[in-house]
Amino acid sequence: MNRSICIKVVPGLALVVLASMVWNCAPSYGQRFTRLRPAEADIISAVAYAGQPFGVGKVVFRAGRDSLVLETGGVRISEQNSRVHYPAFSEGLTRIFADSGIVEGGIHTVWFLFRGETPLDIVIDAESRIETRVNVVGNRPVLAQATQDMWWTQYNLQMRRQIDAGEYPAMAEVYLTSMLANRLNRRLLFSPLDSLRDQNQLQQTADLVFDAEQVRVQAIRQMMQGSSASRSKMRGPILQGISPPGIAGNRDQDQSSRVPLPAGPKWGDWPALRLDDGIEVEMLAHAVPEECFYLHFGTWDNQVWLNRLMDEHGSELARMVSMRGHQPTNETKIFDQLVLESSQIDEMFGGQLVADIAIIGRDFYFDDGPSIGVLFESKNGLFESNMHSRRNRFARSQGSQGITLEKLEVSGHEVTLLASPDNQVRSFYAVKDNFHLVTTSRAIVERFFEAVAGDRSLAFHTPFRYARAELPVSRQDTVFFYLSSRFLESILSPQYQIELSRRNRALASIQLLQMASWAADSEGINSKSIETLQSYGFLPPEFGVQPDGSTISVIDGVWQDSMRGRRGFFIPISDVEISWITHEESAWLGERIEFYQTELGMMNPIFGGLKRYELERPRGEKVERIVFDARVAPFGGRQWEKLEQFLGPPMQSEIAMDPNDLVAAQVSLRGFSLLPQRSAEPHQLFAAIQADVSPTPPPLKSSGFLQTVQVLKTIPGYLGAWPSPGYLDTLPALGGRPDEYGFTYSRLLDLWRMQHGEFSVLAFDRRRLENLRPSLAVVPSERPAQFRLRVGDIAHSNLRGWINSFYYQQGWESSLANVRFIHMLSQQFGIPIDSSLAAAEEILDVKLICPLKGSYELIQTDSQRHLWRSSSWPSFGDPQIPVGFQAPPLSWFRGMSLDVYQRDSQFVVHGFIDIERQVTSGLGSMLPSFNLFKGFDTIEKLPAALPENATEAGDQTGIDETELKPPRSRSRPSRKKTDDG
């Protein structure tokens, strides 16, 4: 570093550190200096100011360097008489500079609220137990206010950090900050819902359709804010909110506050199409209402295959997208509710009784009570008798649990209903001709009979016939899925929108009541009644006032809504009749309807097909290639134009892959303006990760920006653009004049840039760019695309060690986030540490899991502390990946390919994924060979895997990585167009 710069920077840095230490360590005004007793040796300063309704205090202390305590949020403050509440921990700058050795000592600061004016007997549990007595200073309103201001800032920051690090709905953080803001007349400094205000209307609509977690969190926030606050904060350039504002007034609404449910949006008509009258449509489609989603299997064996695939790899498939640390409390509850089960007998004889099978439904609200059903086409009358026998047997065996089986008349037909009082079992069984329906929804039963009679069934719906023209029945797809425009319009109808918002308020009320009771108990306040909780500010004044008159209660230890049933098993929205709404609901609904009509215009269907094939592999693995072909149409109207503003035209060519490329992606981008005098032309951005070396696995650390940079630098890859630099020109310090070999170097980013003809390519390693130069070429493409992705067999490549390390790192982060949440609930709500895991799962209504396949356990430290941790965590002092660890996807993922392009108003998606399967009897012989498949043979080529006699992939310990390099091809793969291309 230049000496003059050092003279300026070093004193400045020292001054910042010194200021931080003075603020954190110096005794506050009003505290007398006293000689600390040995038991208080780790207390640097402490002060407490009396106030109403709370006093506020601050303690600066040394916490030691026990990483297990620090990284899991295990530092805890309490008071002998339970008078300390809502602490906010801050480590100032000391933690930031600790790794560099600039600051030593592990100094921490905690701000907290308390009640009373007598001395506080503080206990801080960190690496060891610290005890001290703090005298309460009275009559210092200015200092008390200033300290409370700092506590509030730190409390907001602490909750923001908790949300950023977590992978769960932020309902506890939203409740705590909102509740304290209301009680202390404070303004939220860092709203957990700031990101929601930045969402556009399209994103809010998508959240509603798919019941995103954020919807429930916002309902909690709006209820805590109250109606006026909600209106003022949420109005603006976006919609008023996902849910209508709070309902004011008495629990029993008078007639003057009611208005009729309005008509829905006037959706645009599907364009007139000339479709061949001879389009083949499966018989089962004649029994499907056009407003239902449709997941068609075709044969019994196909649904057995999908069930087995989900059992083997379902959770891992989901975690390839998101390393989430939780899962539903009961993953089979929908089929348990329908009283449908798969057994070995079903798998053996189901195909003899069932000609066709599909899952249909009116929504995706699986967690809270969906409108869903299973539709069968039977081969003979044995299926019906078998169903009746099973349902009668179940009702007799479960009669003591309140399960009943009754006959009903629906639309002039006899239907049976198997049900429990709390809706945990809700199963309608209807039969018409050879069609059999088992569903949770009476409304679907009514429409089923109408559809079979020819009234608005999918078989006669023009968009569905268009889908079957694009993906004909003759393809014999293993799975065909179809989301009709009527399905999407139904979810955005007034009836669905209002009941969904009321349902979200009911669920939010359950969670609010639970958290309010915890908070009141922690402050020593009797929380037996809602009125008591409201009087102390734990619940808003309007809490419990629902427009439909429903109430929340606990029955046999389970939360229930008086009109909707048990939490997680609410009555399906399609079965709820709504004849009137409040004026506030009407205003909210009117705003949404106007948006749907002016911005969306019309809803387009989404459909696609999957088909599985047997793939020959050199190592004798049982690998299935699942080929997918889909048409994804975004919302219509103006929103479509916004989605187009970044994507460029479909690419008629592609960048030739280097033989070492294991993962390669290309995307077409539109031009844009860099500066008023300079603009970028449309260009292709391409990137790849190569397998020519064994990259050093990233070090295992819990978090940090520097760690992210280190991870990026360990990736053996490159990023490029053609035929113009485009977005690459936005990177700093890379726009200078290249040297004679076409290279530019950025010291700021430690990054090389190579310009070769019309190519501009970046990498951290210059030699990688030099080796890449001969391979850079543009070749014709067999299929136009705006996005391409190719992934090879990572498990049998030199990248597997890096992937194992990265997966372990992400899984560790996710697991840590869960434990921090458990410890946060214990600290903020005063929940006993041994009950905090159960409390976390109760409030989230999920099961917390460790992605590293460990179990959460309560341990006792050397200092007699009790902390939660996972049995699969490494040592914090010297973290190492366990010997033999393999990222779960590497046990089955064997490659994929994806091509996406825009055609008219939809995206066309082609591709495949290769999956190694467990050997399952009875299914393998039915798989056709991929060699017989025509239509995708232009995109199925992947980088070569290991030769048959190569060393198999194992753990990264004790293996010579040089033996695991894939063979390098000296010639570029042939791109000769085939007859079927």
Side-chain angles (χ1 to χ4, degrees):
M1 182 181 291
N2 183 283
R3 180 176 298 177
S4 63
I5 297 178
C6 291
I7 294 175
K8 295 178 182 179
V9 173
V10 174
L13 180 61
L15 195 59
V16 170
V17 175
L18 180 61
S20 173
M21 295 179 65
V22 168
W23 170 253
N24 285 318
C25 302
S28 302
Y29 181 81
Q31 179 190 17
R32 295 181 178 180
F33 287 89
T34 58
R35 183 178 298 277
L36 297 177
R37 299 189 300 271
E40 301 174 320
D42 290 322
I43 299 294
I44 297 174
S45 67
V47 67
Y49 299 106
Q52 290 297 329
F54 292 104
V56 61
K58 183 184 80 169
V59 176
V60 181
F61 61 98
R62 290 187 178 89
R65 295 191 176 277
D66 188 334
S67 297
L68 177 62
V69 175
L70 299 178
E71 297 292 348
T72 62
V75 180
R76 182 183 178 90
I77 184 173
S78 59
E79 202 269 342
Q80 296 286 5
N81 298 305
S82 302
R83 293 165 55 198
V84 166
H85 310 289
Y86 312 113
F89 289 90
S90 172
E91 299 165 10
L93 295 179
T94 58
R95 183 74 183 282
I96 297 176
F97 294 111
D99 291 338
S100 62
I102 297 177
V103 176
E104 299 291 343
I107 298 173
H108 298 247
T109 304
V110 58
W111 287 264
F112 56 88
L113 301 182
F114 68 90
R115 291 186 181 276
E117 299 181 358
T118 58
L120 296 166
D121 293 316
I122 297 293
V123 177
I124 296 177
D125 287 312
E127 188 173 52
S128 59
R129 185 180 179 90
I130 307 171
E131 299 180 7
T132 187
R133 169 164 286 197
V134 181
N135 294 323
V136 176
V137 179
N139 197 26
R140 297 289 186 182
V142 175
L143 288 173
Q145 184 64 41
T147 307
Q148 191 183 95
D149 291 344
M150 183 56 67
W151 162 81
W152 183 238
T153 299
Q154 295 297 329
Y155 196 83
N156 278 259
L157 283 170
Q158 175 177 270
M159 290 301 166
R160 184 61 176 264
R161 290 193 300 268
Q162 186 77 25
I163 293 172
D164 291 343
E167 297 176 341
Y168 48 81
M171 54 194 62
E173 294 87 344
V174 168
Y175 169 75
L176 286 166
T177 51
S178 300
M179 178 268 292
L180 290 169
N182 291 342
R183 294 173 69 186
L184 301 176
N185 196 26
R186 289 278 182 174
R187 181 177 64 88
L188 289 172
L189 303 180
F190 303 96
S191 170
L193 296 180
D194 283 342
S195 59
L196 180 64
R197 296 191 179 92
D198 295 333
Q199 287 181 346
N200 58 30
Q201 296 154 324
L202 181 64
Q203 180 63 51
Q204 292 191 33
T205 301
D207 285 348
L208 261 178
V209 170
F210 296 102
D211 195 27
E213 296 167 341
Q214 193 72 6
V215 175
R216 202 70 38 73
V217 176
Q218 194 221 15
I220 291 176
R221 170 69 182 277
Q222 287 183 334
M223 293 176 69
M224 290 302 299
Q225 281 184 320
S227 57
S228 60
S230 177
R231 285 193 296 269
S232 65
K233 287 184 178 293
M234 294 305 296
R235 284 192 182 274
I238 66 170
L239 294 179
Q240 181 174 320
I242 296 293
S243 302
I247 309 301
N250 296 323
R251 189 181 303 274
D252 298 323
Q253 300 288 323
D254 55 51
Q255 295 294 330
S256 62
S257 67
R258 300 178 178 182
V259 296
L261 187 70
K266 297 180 180 179
W267 300 104
D269 294 328
W270 182 260
L273 297 175
R274 289 188 177 182
L275 298 176
D276 187 350
D277 292 336
I279 295 175
E280 182 182 3
V281 174
E282 62 270 26
M283 289 300 298
L284 202 62
H286 290 267
V288 180
E290 64 181 17
E291 68 273 18
C292 286
F293 74 77
Y294 180 52
L295 187 65
H296 177 246
F297 297 102
T299 67
W300 182 268
D301 291 329
N302 287 342
Q303 67 87 23
V304 172
W305 167 81
L306 185 61
N307 284 334
R308 288 184 177 178
L309 179 65
M310 292 297 101
D311 289 342
E312 289 178 28
H313 308 302
S315 60
E316 293 163 11
L317 283 167
R319 291 196 190 101
M320 284 184 69
V321 179
S322 175
M323 287 284 298
R324 309 207 65 174
H326 58 80
Q327 64 186 23
T329 53
N330 182 359
E331 295 180 315
T332 64
K333 73 176 185 179
I334 294 174
F335 292 100
D336 292 341
Q337 189 178 27
L338 292 172
V339 195
L340 288 174
E341 60 185 19
S342 291
S343 65
Q344 292 181 347
I345 296 179
D346 292 325
E347 295 180 5
M348 292 173 61
F349 298 104
Q352 300 180 18
L353 303 178
V354 177
D356 205 349
I357 181 174
I359 297 176
I360 66 174
R362 291 279 303 274
D363 55 54
F364 298 121
Y365 308 142
F366 303 128
D367 291 339
D368 306 312
S371 302
I372 195 171
V374 181
L375 185 62
F376 305 89
E377 180 185 357
S378 65
K379 291 182 176 180
N380 50 56
L382 292 177
F383 183 85
E384 182 176 359
S385 62
N386 179 276
M387 286 292 294
H388 283 306
S389 175
R390 289 166 54 131
R391 291 166 67 85
N392 279 307
R393 189 164 58 249
F394 181 84
R396 289 194 301 269
S397 64
Q398 302 297 320
S400 61
Q401 304 299 318
I403 306 295
T404 60
L405 179 64
E406 59 178 320
K407 294 181 179 180
L408 306 174
E409 183 176 314
V410 179
S411 301
H413 301 270
E414 183 179 286
V415 174
T416 61
L417 171 61
L418 194 59
S420 62
D422 60 0
N423 288 330
Q424 195 168 3
V425 172
R426 181 180 174 90
S427 176
F428 292 90
Y429 177 45
V431 182
K432 178 65 175 177
D433 300 333
N434 290 333
F435 302 118
H436 304 254
L437 174 67
V438 181
T439 178
T440 61
S441 169
R442 181 185 178 113
I444 291 182
V445 173
E446 294 172 352
R447 286 288 294 116
F448 161 74
F449 288 122
E450 293 175 353
V452 175
D455 183 8
R456 293 170 293 151
S457 73
L458 275 186
F460 300 108
H461 192 46
T462 299
F464 180 78
R465 296 180 65 241
Y466 164 76
R468 271 316 191 186
E470 287 277 289
L471 304 179
V473 175
S474 59
R475 288 166 45 110
Q476 297 183 336
D477 288 320
T478 307
V479 179
F480 172 80
F481 62 90
Y482 182 80
L483 270 64
S484 74
S485 54
R486 294 287 185 262
F487 168 80
L488 299 170
E489 292 168 5
S490 173
I491 287 183
L492 298 179
S493 67
Q495 183 263 344
Y496 247 83
Q497 295 276 279
I498 290 299
E499 175 54 25
L500 180 59
S501 69
R502 291 178 178 179
R503 172 190 286 213
N504 282 327
R505 285 180 61 85
L507 291 168
S509 296
I510 291 173
Q511 292 163 329
L512 279 178
L513 192 55
Q514 180 64 78
M515 291 186 290
S517 299
W518 288 345
D521 289 343
S522 72
E523 293 186 34
I525 296 171
N526 188 328
S527 60
K528 299 298 182 183
S529 69
I530 291 177
E531 291 74 16
T532 301
L533 295 173
Q534 289 174 315
S535 66
Y536 281 93
F538 296 106
L539 289 174
E542 298 170 352
F543 179 83
V545 181
Q546 299 282 9
D548 55 13
S550 64
T551 58
I552 301 298
S553 61
V554 178
I555 300 177
D556 296 330
V558 178
W559 290 101
Q560 298 200 28
D561 179 273
S562 59
M563 296 185 65
R564 295 172 179 84
R566 176 181 178 144
R567 178 186 182 185
F569 297 91
F570 281 177
I571 292 176
I573 294 179
S574 58
D575 286 5
V576 177
E577 295 184 4
I578 299 177
S579 56
W580 57 267
I581 58 177
T582 67
H583 286 287
E584 286 186 303
E585 287 177 320
S586 178
W588 172 81
L589 193 57
E591 191 178 82
R592 302 201 69 85
I593 291 175
E594 180 181 1
F595 164 69
Y596 297 152
Q597 292 183 166
T598 59
E599 296 293 325
L600 300 185
M602 64 177 292
M603 308 301 288
N604 296 316
I606 299 173
F607 58 93
L610 309 177
K611 190 161 185 177
R612 60 196 181 106
Y613 293 87
E614 184 178 9
L615 194 65
E616 297 295 333
R617 302 292 284 190
R619 287 173 297 276
E621 301 164 334
K622 178 181 174 57
V623 176
E624 289 182 357
R625 172 158 289 178
I626 302 174
V627 179
F628 50 85
D629 190 356
R631 309 292 185 267
V632 180
F635 298 114
R638 301 177 188 174
Q639 299 299 323
W640 172 242
E641 300 174 2
K642 297 178 181 178
L643 292 175
E644 289 183 301
Q645 63 184 343
F646 296 108
L647 284 178
M651 300 176 287
Q652 303 296 329
S653 60
E654 59 183 298
I655 311 300
M657 290 181 63
D658 184 274
N660 291 319
D661 291 347
L662 188 65
V663 180
Q666 301 177 30
V667 61
S668 173
L669 299 174
R670 286 192 178 276
F672 62 97
S673 296
L674 292 172
L675 296 170
Q677 303 84 6
R678 186 180 179 188
S679 62
E681 300 297 326
H683 58 285
Q684 296 181 24
L685 199 66
F686 58 93
I689 299 176
Q690 300 187 304
D692 58 336
V693 297
S694 301
T696 302
L700 287 180
K701 291 187 178 179
S702 59
S703 62
F705 172 76
L706 295 179
Q707 166 69 1
T708 302
V709 174
Q710 290 177 355
V711 170
L712 290 176
K713 295 182 72 171
T714 62
I715 299 176
Y718 59 87
L719 172 68
W722 174 88
S724 67
Y727 281 94
L728 298 190
D729 271 350
T730 62
L731 294 175
L734 281 171
R737 183 185 300 274
D739 62 18
E740 59 181 315
Y741 302 104
F743 287 93
T744 308
Y745 177 66
S746 169
R747 293 184 180 276
L748 177 64
L749 303 175
D750 190 22
L751 191 65
W752 287 93
R753 173 174 176 172
M754 179 184 70
Q755 293 174 253
H756 175 63
E758 294 180 310
F759 291 96
S760 182
V761 193
L762 309 178
F764 287 107
D765 184 354
R766 174 169 175 157
R767 287 176 299 178
R768 185 170 303 282
L769 297 177
E770 293 172 344
N771 294 335
L772 178 66
R773 192 195 302 262
S775 299
L776 287 175
V778 179
V779 297
S781 175
E782 299 290 351
R783 178 181 291 106
Q786 290 166 296
F787 176 77
R788 308 183 196 276
L789 176 66
R790 309 286 186 262
V791 183
D793 188 349
I794 298 175
H796 297 94
S797 76
N798 292 332
L799 283 180
R800 77 185 187 283
W802 192 95
I803 293 296
N804 282 335
S805 180
F806 180 80
Y807 190 99
Y808 194 87
Q809 171 74 37
Q810 298 304 308
W812 189 18
E813 285 288 341
S814 179
S815 187
L816 272 171
N818 282 346
V819 171
R820 292 189 189 110
F821 179 66
I822 295 169
H823 286 163
M824 185 270 286
L825 290 185
S826 178
Q827 174 71 91
Q828 297 295 328
F829 291 105
I831 299 172
I833 190 66
D834 57 348
S835 303
S836 53
L837 173 60
E841 294 182 336
E842 178 182 5
I843 198 63
L844 297 177
D845 195 27
V846 298
K847 179 176 178 58
L848 295 180
I849 61 172
C850 175
L852 302 179
K853 297 188 176 180
S855 58
Y856 294 117
E857 54 190 14
L858 189 63
I859 65 169
Q860 188 175 41
T861 67
D862 294 339
S863 59
Q864 307 305 307
R865 290 282 323 274
H866 284 89
L867 295 172
W868 286 97
R869 63 160 295 152
S870 168
S871 59
S872 294
W873 285 355
S875 166
F876 283 88
D878 183 23
Q880 299 291 331
I881 298 179
V883 174
F885 174 81
Q886 177 174 255
L890 296 187
S891 67
W892 56 267
F893 179 80
R894 294 296 174 261
M896 71 171 296
S897 181
L898 176 67
D899 283 77
V900 182
Y901 73 95
Q902 174 194 345
R903 189 181 71 186
D904 299 325
S905 61
Q906 64 184 355
F907 285 110
V908 179
V909 181
H910 295 279
F912 66 80
I913 182 171
D914 291 342
I915 296 179
E916 182 177 345
R917 299 295 310 279
Q918 299 175 5
V919 177
T920 53
S921 60
L923 293 178
S925 60
M926 294 182 293
L927 282 178
S929 170
F930 187 76
N931 297 330
L932 302 178
F933 176 71
K934 302 298 181 183
F936 280 80
D937 50 341
T938 58
I939 66 170
E940 91 287 1
K941 292 185 174 69
L942 289 173
L946 288 171
E948 189 169 358
N949 58 354
T951 304
E952 293 290 340
D955 63 80
Q956 58 184 3
T957 304
I959 295 179
D960 183 2
E961 293 286 345
T962 59
E963 296 181 3
L964 299 175
K965 293 181 180 179
R968 298 183 57 174
S969 173
R970 296 299 179 184
S971 60
R972 192 169 296 134
S974 172
R975 284 177 166 78
K976 181 179 178 181
K977 187 173 182 179
T978 66
D979 294 337
D980 301 303

